[in-house]
Amino acid sequence: LGKLFQDLLTAAKSEDGRITSHPIAVEMGQFLQEIVEDIRFTAEKKNMLVEFMIGSSGGASVSTNATAGQKMIKPLYFVHVDPDRMREVIINLFDNAVKYSDQGKITIGLTGDDKVVQFRIADQGQGIPAEDVSHLFQKFYRVDNSSTRTIGGTGLGLFICRKIVELYNGRIWVESQVGKGSTFFINLPRLSTTQANSLLAQSAGPAETVPSGTT
């Protein structure tokens, strides 16, 4: 009941513009890596692997499971968001991936281009029927199967995620196949180094800037 009340309150605030938001320049690579280290144990309790990768799936990437001693230059992916709100979104998606998977690996990936930063979380779980995919982010919608009835939930988590992502001019969607797993994607507008430096200077003083030579 407490969870339901909190979700109802957050959902109502997200709809009428009262949701608390204090956006700052956030470097998503470091931000995500810190979150992954905090929540990894949730999956490991089910003997599931967790992998965090930065970079294009088709090119060079940096994995937190890489061999010790490897050094690669990681791109800086800055976005303008409230870190507390984005943490709420990421943890919700990660918890769902764990809850609806019995085994396998959860991959958290980060990539982007000059205009967009893309975050994704992929599992090897049950997958979502095609007829349910287009409704997932609606208020109170839940896939009706034996697993969802056993696990329970408010049906508001993904709705709230969508509202938060849209608050920062972003987009969230899912690609899934029954029996093979699901991948949730989030696209957010990317800040340039200059824009990030300007926002950091406004919020934390001129001493906190992005190192030169990074993008």
Side-chain angles (χ1 to χ4, degrees):
L1 287 176
K3 172 64 173 172
L4 176 59
F5 176 79
Q6 185 60 51
D7 283 353
L8 284 169
L9 183 62
T10 303
K13 288 182 177 181
S14 70
E15 288 185 293
D16 61 20
R18 292 183 295 121
I19 192 168
T20 303
S21 176
H22 302 288
I24 60 174
V26 176
E27 202 290 293
M28 286 297 288
Q30 180 179 349
F31 181 67
L32 284 172
Q33 188 161 351
E34 291 173 355
I35 292 178
V36 169
E37 292 307 313
D38 288 342
I39 62 180
R40 184 188 298 273
F41 74 94
T42 304
E44 291 177 344
K45 286 193 296 186
K46 294 181 68 173
N47 295 319
M48 298 172 64
L49 298 175
V50 178
E51 183 177 49
F52 174 48
M53 303 188 70
I54 300 178
S56 170
S57 58
S61 63
V62 180
S63 170
T64 57
N65 296 332
T67 304
Q70 286 184 339
K71 292 183 178 180
M72 297 183 68
I73 298 175
K74 296 186 291 186
L76 299 180
Y77 293 113
F78 278 97
V79 294
H80 193 219
V81 299
D82 184 322
D84 291 334
R85 288 300 176 192
M86 284 311 301
R87 183 181 179 90
E88 183 179 345
V89 170
I90 293 162
I91 290 177
N92 187 293
L93 296 178
F94 184 85
D95 285 348
N96 282 347
V98 174
K99 285 192 296 185
Y100 297 109
S101 301
D102 296 321
Q103 59 183 358
K105 179 174 65 175
I106 295 176
T107 301
I108 297 173
L110 179 66
T111 186
D113 56 27
D114 291 341
K115 296 182 178 179
V116 174
V117 173
Q118 183 175 96
F119 159 78
R120 68 186 184 277
I121 178 165
D123 64 58
Q124 298 174 333
Q126 306 165 8
I128 303 164
E131 61 270 21
D132 291 306
V133 167
S134 62
H135 304 288
L136 274 185
F137 299 97
Q138 297 175 3
K139 189 190 296 185
F140 298 119
Y141 191 86
R142 301 193 72 223
V143 177
D144 186 18
N145 58 36
S146 58
S147 294
T148 57
R149 287 191 292 269
T150 300
I151 294 172
T154 66
L156 288 168
L158 292 178
F159 171 79
I160 293 171
C161 286
R162 176 172 67 85
K163 285 295 185 179
I164 291 174
V165 170
E166 290 175 350
L167 188 64
Y168 306 115
N169 298 313
R171 177 184 171 227
I172 183 171
W173 75 99
V174 62
E175 297 176 3
S176 185
Q177 188 173 350
V178 174
K180 294 189 176 181
S182 305
T183 302
F184 283 81
F185 296 89
I186 294 175
N187 278 6
L188 293 167
R190 184 176 183 177
L191 295 177
S192 67
T193 300
T194 301
Q195 291 171 321
N197 272 333
S198 177
L199 289 169
L200 287 170
Q202 292 174 25
S203 61
E208 187 170 348
T209 58
V210 181
S212 61
T214 58
T215 58

